[in-house]
Amino acid sequence: MTHEPEVLVVGAGPAGLTAATYLGRFRRRVLVADGGAPRACWIPVSHNMPGFPRGITGDAILARMRDQAVEYDAVIEPGRVEALARDGDGFVARLNGRDIRIRAVLLATGVVDHHPDLPGVQDAVKRSLVRICPICDAYEAIDKRVAIIGKDDLGVREAAFMRTYTDQVTLIHIGPAEALTERAALDRLGVTLVEGSIDDVELQDDYVRALCWGGQVHAFDMIYSALGTTPNAELAEALRAETTDDDLMKTDAHQATRIPGLYAAGDVVLGLNQIAVATAEAALAATAIHNRLREQDGWTV
């Protein structure tokens, strides 16, 4: 029996590891290319992950998912896929200096967050002082002093979202003035607008003090970044898979792209960036991949 992989999963975040578990249980030989720390590792504690009412850290989520995938014989190899091309009915991928031929590929490559240019921002994210996902954790901002850092109307939309939780919302707009077109909405929502760069940031034990305007120090319980993300979609673009204007991947209801045998799941796909969504998309993609290979091998009725 050959041990060469049939399916390549690019990315070892929640989507990639979920797909690996499903594919392993489908008795498929699966290789996961682990390109390094996914976004989930930034999560200090998730309180909306189903099944963990007292919360769970991002690192713990990933560790559990890795253990589960390996239990079903998924091979997880550190390294980034350098190139991906069609090869007959399948693909050839370049990983760690060698070419690997596979029958199907799942891209679970995620996105890169645009963090604000603040000193110690990584430590602040880990301590929940600077946050990147209001859908994930805005519940913890109830009645807190919240600042949104934005460069365009995305900041306005995030500030509006936060008004469900607190009436102490400040939008710090660091982009050009003309990029902010929804000023009237800020007035209507009671959001304080500050325009200008952040000159200095001091991280205290449980709050953020940002020296950002008028030479005054302003204290916030937490800061949200609304500076957007960049999808890791270079491999898809090289294959000319369809993407949105924001370079997110377009898929059908089974997570298939328009390139036969190429699938995508997780944050790199157009939709809601949530672990629950990523795992659901991964389950759909893995099942579709398995059924496609069954059909190719004549194992369907």
Side-chain angles (χ1 to χ4, degrees):
M1 180 178 176
T2 180
H3 293 286
E4 292 299 314
E6 296 175 283
V7 184
L8 174 65
V9 176
V10 186
L17 294 173
T18 298
T21 293
Y22 271 73
L23 288 164
R25 289 178 58 84
F26 288 142
R27 305 185 69 189
R28 293 295 173 187
R29 300 184 305 277
V30 57
L31 172 64
V32 180
D34 181 358
R39 297 179 85 208
C41 73
W42 288 85
I43 301 172
V45 181
S46 172
H47 292 282
N48 69 345
M49 180 76 175
F52 296 93
R54 284 171 292 281
I56 182 172
T57 68
D59 286 339
I61 293 170
L62 293 168
R64 286 169 178 257
M65 288 183 166
R66 288 178 75 95
D67 289 346
Q68 191 170 16
V70 170
E71 181 178 349
Y72 296 106
D73 297 324
V75 175
I76 302 175
E77 179 177 336
R80 300 184 70 87
V81 175
E82 301 158 7
L84 182 64
R86 292 306 306 265
D87 181 42
D89 290 335
F91 302 86
V92 59
R94 187 77 174 169
L95 175 64
N96 292 329
R98 73 186 192 282
D99 289 336
I100 304 170
R101 286 173 172 77
I102 55 272
R103 301 176 66 187
V105 175
L106 172 64
L107 297 180
T109 45
V111 298
V112 176
D113 290 284
H114 301 163
H115 289 301
D117 185 16
L118 304 176
V121 67
Q122 293 188 358
D123 180 55
V125 172
K126 291 178 180 178
R127 289 165 54 190
S128 301
L129 299 178
V130 174
R131 304 188 176 209
I132 57 178
C133 179
I135 292 175
C136 304
D137 53 30
Y139 186 88
E140 280 69 54
I142 292 176
D143 296 331
K144 299 288 182 65
R145 300 164 299 178
V146 175
I148 310 292
I149 300 176
K151 62 180 180 179
D152 51 30
D153 285 338
L154 175 60
V156 180
R157 293 194 293 273
E158 196 153 307
F161 185 88
M162 293 304 301
R163 284 293 282 110
T164 304
Y165 303 92
T166 178
D167 60 1
Q168 302 176 76
V169 180
T170 298
L171 173 61
I172 303 174
H173 178 68
I174 61 174
E178 60 271 18
L180 197 62
T181 67
E182 296 289 349
R183 296 171 185 269
L186 295 173
D187 292 337
R188 176 173 56 83
L189 294 166
V191 173
T192 301
L193 173 63
V194 174
E195 297 184 75
S197 62
I198 298 174
D199 300 318
D200 193 18
V201 173
E202 180 181 343
L203 302 179
Q204 303 261 335
D205 288 340
D206 58 356
Y207 69 93
V208 177
R209 297 208 313 165
L211 178 63
C212 51
W213 68 90
Q216 297 179 351
V217 175
H218 299 264
F220 300 102
D221 297 298
M222 59 187 66
I223 292 177
Y224 276 90
S225 171
L227 299 177
T229 60
T230 297
N232 290 315
E234 296 86 354
L235 296 174
E237 292 168 357
L239 291 170
R240 299 192 178 183
E242 189 175 7
T243 59
T244 69
D245 292 340
D246 295 326
D247 295 325
L248 290 164
M249 296 188 63
K250 291 184 179 181
T251 63
D252 66 11
H254 300 282
Q255 303 305 127
T257 72
R258 67 180 183 182
I259 308 298
L262 180 67
Y263 298 76
D267 293 351
V268 75
V269 173
L270 178 64
L272 190 64
N273 291 356
Q274 293 287 289
I275 290 178
V277 174
T279 56
E281 291 175 348
L284 288 169
T287 304
I289 289 170
H290 176 56
N291 287 336
R292 183 174 189 272
L293 298 184
R294 288 175 56 232
E295 185 175 359
Q296 288 180 347
D297 293 338
W299 286 89
T300 57
V301 176

